[in-house]
Amino acid sequence: MSDKSFTFSRFLKNVLIMAGIGIVFVLFFFYIYLPSSTNHNETITVPELIGLTYEDLDEFVIKRDLRYEIVEDSGYSESAAPLSILSQNPKPGSKVKMNRKIYIALNAKVPPKVKMPNLINTDVQNAEDILNTNGLKLGSLTYEPNLANNAVLAQTLDGEPIEAGTSIFKGSSIDLVIGDGEGVQRFLAPNFIGKTLEDVKFQINASKLKLDVINFIQVDSVAENTIYKQLPPAGSMIRSGSLVEIWVNSKETNGEEPEDSPEGDVKMQ
């Protein structure tokens, strides 16, 4: 046999030996070494962390061969305790490898601040929706006479007016003043002509009016000490609190003066 044939046979044999060694190495790496080094087919069930406090994390997570990381700007919930866990990723019940990192969101110690919205002239239902959208709560409702039925007339926080754009804590309760739709009561002016001053005073008080000026002037057209003229005229439309001026057929004031208006006047002619 020639040297050339001998050399080729030996080369082919060496190649086959090297190929066999390579196959054995690959099988060993993928089916023995790699599974053992990565705990192949070994998983851990992610525990429920929501509601736990930050102090409990180390013992609860690390002893389960897991890790954790707190995400920045986690969030805030009024119903959760400060620094308690609000959310986690992966979720509870997920299957993960050992040493997997769990990302955790904590509840802030102090509520974040939000801008107070403008609720003036909106209806109550819309105002409540706006408050909820901005992380605020609807407090008490106070109704006042106003023709704007069910509309917001004023917005307050802790008894003080709160302007739109003011920074306040999320979760604050906003109290509202609401129009009752009736407004200030309107009615026909009573007829005081021919009545005595005492009777008119009583009637004015009962009608929630204010006696402004009393004019004492003697005339011959009506009985003495009775009313012969009034403003506003009887039958005209007036509101609660309107001022009333009357004329009495008398020369003497008899010490009379308007009872309901400190700035009232008594005139005698």
Side-chain angles (χ1 to χ4, degrees), residues 82 84 96 128 131 133 140 167 227:
S84 61
V96 298
E128 185 173 13
L131 289 173
T133 300
S140 63
S167 293
I227 310 302

Side-chain angles (χ1 to χ4, degrees), residues 17-158:
I17 293 173
M18 293 299 295
I21 293 174
I23 293 173
V24 172
F25 176 78
V26 171
L27 294 175
F28 173 80
F29 179 80
F30 283 101
Y31 289 95
I32 298 177
Y33 173 75
L34 191 61
S36 63
S37 63
T38 59
N39 297 297
H40 186 62
N41 293 329
E42 291 185 18
T43 59
I44 299 174
T45 301
V46 177
E48 173 71 69
L49 303 177
I50 297 174
L52 292 179
T53 61
Y54 178 73
E55 290 78 8
D56 297 331
L57 274 177
D58 283 341
E59 179 181 359
F60 201 81
V61 174
I62 295 178
K63 76 176 184 179
R64 287 172 168 78
D65 296 321
L66 296 170
R67 296 178 298 149
Y68 68 86
E69 179 178 326
I70 307 299
V71 300
E72 295 183 3
D73 301 328
S74 294
Y76 176 77
S77 172
E78 185 179 8
S79 61
L83 295 183
S84 61
I85 299 173
L86 292 179
S87 63
Q88 64 180 87
N89 184 30
K91 295 182 179 180
S94 302
K95 301 294 184 181
V96 298
K97 295 291 184 65
M98 292 177 59
N99 208 35
R100 170 66 185 272
K101 183 180 289 185
I102 310 297
Y103 294 92
I104 292 172
L106 291 179
N107 193 31
K109 284 185 177 181
V110 179
K113 286 195 171 184
V114 296
K115 297 292 185 180
M116 176 65 201
N118 183 17
L119 306 177
I120 305 301
N121 294 328
T122 61
D123 61 73
V124 176
Q125 183 60 55
N126 190 35
E128 185 173 13
D129 292 340
I130 295 174
L131 289 173
N132 291 336
T133 300
N134 288 271
L136 301 170
K137 295 186 295 185
L138 177 63
S140 63
L141 300 179
T142 303
Y143 287 86
E144 288 189 355
N146 194 285
L147 295 177
N149 185 30
N150 212 35
V152 178
L153 305 178
Q155 52 194 35
T156 63
L157 174 63
D158 297 328

